[in-house]
Amino acid sequence: MTKSIMKSRVIILCITIVGLLSIQASCKNTKVGGTADCPEKGVEELSSILKNRIQDKFTFYYAKLKVSIKDSKSSNSFNATVKMKPDSAFSGTVKVAGILGALYLIDQDTFAYAQKIEKCYKKQSFSALTKTFGTEINYSFMQQLILGQAVGIENIEVLYPLKDKQYYVLASHDKKAFQRLDAYNLSDEEQNDIFIKYKLDCGSLQLAKIEVNVPKDQTVIYVDFKKREPVEGIDLPEETAIKIVTPEDSVFIDLGYSRASLNEPKTIKLSIPDSYSECE
C-alpha cells in the first residue's frame, strides 16, 4: 500500500514537473524587446507585421532607380526603371550617362537582357546571378528585395526573438543556433540551412534591416532599408543599401528610388531585334 502511494506521488510529481516545463516552454520566446528604446512587444504581433507585408495586395509596381554597384575591382553607376507585376515578372530599361544601354526582363525562371550598343542579347537562368549574390537566389528573393519585404519569410514556420538594443529582432533560428553559427560549430544539417535575422524599427515597426547568412556558401547578405516612403498606404523603399560578403570579395549595391507608384499597369516585355547576336 505504501509503495503504491509512493509510486502515485512520484507519477504526480513527474506530471507536475513536465506540466510546469511545458508551461514555461509555451511562455518562452513570446516577447521581444524590453529596453527603454524598444518596449516589450509580442513576437506574434511583429511576426504578423512582417508576413502581412508579403501579402500586401497591389496589381502593379513602378519606380525609377539610381543604382551603384562596387567591389574591389570596379565601380559602376546607372539609372534604371522597374515595371513589375507581382509574382509574375518585371522588366525595364538601363541608362548610363543618359544613354539607353540595355533592356531587361526577369520572370520566374529567366533573367534576360538586350544590350543596345553592342547589339546583343543574353537569356540565362537565375543561376547566372549566383556570382553576384554569392549564393543561389530566385525570383521571389529579387521581388521581395526590391519591394522592401522580409525576404524568405514565407518559408519560415517559427520566428525566434533575439536580444538587441536598437531593434526588434526576429530570426529563423534561436539564439543557440546563431551561437553555433558564429562559432563555426554547426551540424551537417544546419550547414545547409539559411540563417535570417529581420530587424524592425522600434518606433515605426517597419522592417529596417535584414541579415541573410548562407553557411554552405560562406556568404552573408546585409540589407539596410535606410529610408522608406508611403505609397497608397504601403511603405516602400526609397533608399536601400546592400552588402554581399563572400570568400572572394565584398559587393556593395546602393538603390535610390523615385516616382514609385502602384496599380498603374505598364507593358512588361523584352523585344530583341532579329539582327542581335548572343552576347559573349
Side-chain angles (χ1 to χ4, degrees), residues 101-241:
L103 306 172
Y104 73 89
L105 185 145
I106 296 176
D107 60 22
Q108 298 284 342
D109 304 308
T110 309
F111 169 62
Y113 62 88
Q115 294 191 18
K116 303 289 287 185
I117 298 175
E118 288 81 1
K119 298 187 183 303
C120 66
Y121 70 92
K122 195 81 171 179
K123 293 182 179 180
Q124 300 172 301
S125 67
F126 267 99
S127 61
L129 297 175
T130 297
K131 185 176 181 180
T132 299
F133 284 90
T135 188
E136 292 183 13
I137 62 171
N138 55 27
Y139 177 87
S140 178
F141 178 94
M142 293 293 293
Q143 175 176 299
Q144 291 169 355
L145 187 64
I146 290 171
L147 296 176
Q149 299 173 341
V151 295
I153 197 169
E154 71 277 9
N155 299 317
I156 300 174
E157 293 183 5
V158 179
L159 287 170
Y160 299 87
L162 298 180
K163 289 185 178 181
D164 192 277
K165 294 181 179 180
Q166 293 182 290
Y167 301 97
Y168 293 121
V169 180
L170 300 182
S172 58
H173 296 69
D174 62 19
K175 175 183 176 181
K176 290 184 178 179
F178 274 96
Q179 288 175 338
R180 291 194 295 275
L181 174 67
D182 293 338
Y184 301 97
N185 191 31
L186 296 175
S187 65
D188 291 341
E189 184 178 354
E190 288 174 326
Q191 283 286 348
N192 294 314
D193 284 354
I194 298 177
F195 290 71
I196 307 179
K197 293 181 183 179
Y198 304 103
K199 300 185 178 184
L200 291 83
D201 183 274
C202 293
S204 66
L205 302 184
Q206 294 177 341
L207 179 60
K209 296 184 178 184
I210 304 174
E211 293 181 17
V212 182
N213 197 310
V214 189
K216 69 175 183 178
D217 295 323
Q218 296 180 308
T219 293
V220 186
I221 302 173
Y222 301 93
V223 183
D224 185 356
F225 299 113
K226 303 175 79 170
K227 192 175 181 181
R228 290 180 177 268
E229 63 172 341
V231 179
E232 295 189 21
I234 298 175
D235 60 286
L236 296 170
E238 189 172 4
E239 187 178 342
T240 300

Side-chain angles (χ1 to χ4, degrees), residues 13-82:
L13 179 60
C14 290
I15 292 173
T16 302
I17 292 172
V18 171
L20 289 173
L21 289 174
S22 298
I23 292 173
Q24 184 180 10
S26 66
C27 293
K28 189 179 180 181
N29 295 334
T30 60
K31 298 290 183 180
V32 63
T35 65
D37 294 328
C38 299
E40 197 173 71
K41 292 280 186 182
V43 170
E44 284 300 321
E45 176 188 354
L46 299 182
S47 176
S48 294
I49 290 173
L50 292 176
K51 292 179 179 179
N52 288 341
R53 278 287 286 107
I54 299 292
Q55 299 170 4
D56 283 338
K57 298 299 181 183
F58 51 89
T59 58
F60 204 89
Y61 169 80
Y62 172 83
K64 289 191 171 185
L65 289 176
K66 288 186 177 181
V67 183
S68 172
I69 302 177
K70 181 174 66 174
D71 59 21
S72 62
K73 299 177 182 178
S74 63
S75 177
N76 296 285
S77 297
F78 55 88
N79 294 327
T81 59
V82 177

